[in-house]
Every structure is written in structure tokens, then in C-alpha cells.
Amino acid sequence: MLPNLAGRFGTIEEVGKLVAFLASPAADYITAANFRIDGGRLA
């Protein structure tokens, strides 16, 4: 059974990319959001 739709586990770098984005000015307008980094495991 695959761990998720991506067929692999995520990497530390992939999580770090989201963290870097959320800490950047590009995410200034984002408030009260949940971001799932699960490769599509949950529908």
C-alpha cells in the first residue's frame, strides 16, 4: 500500500519550503489557514 497519492514520504526540504513561503512577504495576506503536507493521504 502506498503511503499517500504521491507514492512516497515527504522530505524535510518540502516542509521547509512551505515554512519559508509562509514566513515570506508573499504570504502576508494569509490568515487562519491550515496547510496539510501529506502528499494527498487524506481526502
Side-chain angles (χ1 to χ4, degrees):
M1 182 171 137
L2 296 174
N4 53 40
L5 293 175
R8 62 181 180 78
F9 292 105
T11 65
I12 294 170
E13 290 80 13
E14 289 170 321
V15 175
K17 287 177 185 180
L18 176 61
V19 172
F21 167 71
L22 292 173
S24 77
D28 280 349
Y29 206 66
I30 296 174
T31 59
N34 293 316
F35 294 91
R36 241 186 223 149
I37 306 176
D38 66 359
R41 182 169 176 92
L42 298 177

